[in-house]
Amino acid sequence: MGAQQLPMNLNPNAEKDNQAFMEMVEKNHRLEMKHGSAFRRVFGVSLHKYLSIATGFDVVAFDDEIIKAEDGVSIADAIKRDYGDDALNMVRELIS
């Protein structure tokens, strides 16, 4: 009559984790729907290339491929300088 052991892969927080993941997926989907057209118009590429519904906005790839901020210049400053305040606000919302 030993203690009952739970399977090793049973996550007691699985339901909470799944709910948090689904909320993130829904948030990223809403962001894609809200900003998709403007992102393409401003940056000349599909937002889908940088926004994964499952993982969010890939700011590193976006900087490497589109913004290409110089050493010593923040991504925010480079976006504002090259694309304006509205573009900067859009990117800030995408990474939040």
Side-chain angles (χ1 to χ4, degrees), residues 2 7 11 14 18-19 21-22 27 43-44 47 50 60-61 64 67 72 82 85 88 96:
N11 178 353
N18 188 49
Q19 181 180 355
F21 177 75
M22 292 308 297
K27 174 189 171 224
F43 298 109
L47 175 57
Y50 301 103
V60 173
D64 288 347
I67 303 305
D82 296 342
D85 288 326
L88 177 57
S96 66

Side-chain angles (χ1 to χ4, degrees), residues 6-64:
L6 296 173
M8 294 293 281
N9 64 352
L10 183 60
N11 178 353
N13 296 316
E15 188 173 328
K16 187 192 305 184
D17 292 347
N18 188 49
Q19 181 180 355
F21 177 75
M22 292 308 297
E23 288 171 1
M24 181 180 64
V25 166
E26 290 172 8
K27 174 189 171 224
N28 289 332
H29 179 70
R30 282 192 305 272
L31 287 170
E32 186 170 22
M33 301 308 322
K34 179 179 179 181
H35 294 297
S37 296
F39 191 91
R40 179 178 291 281
R41 187 173 55 255
V42 171
F43 298 109
V45 295
S46 172
L47 175 57
H48 186 72
K49 181 173 182 176
Y50 301 103
L51 180 66
S52 165
I53 289 176
T55 59
F57 188 70
D58 187 346
V59 70
V60 173
F62 179 65
D63 179 40
D64 288 347

Side-chain angles (χ1 to χ4, degrees), residues 70-84:
E70 303 88 9
D71 287 343
V73 177
S74 73
I75 297 169
D77 288 343
I79 292 170
K80 184 174 182 172
R81 178 193 66 215
D82 296 342
Y83 299 97

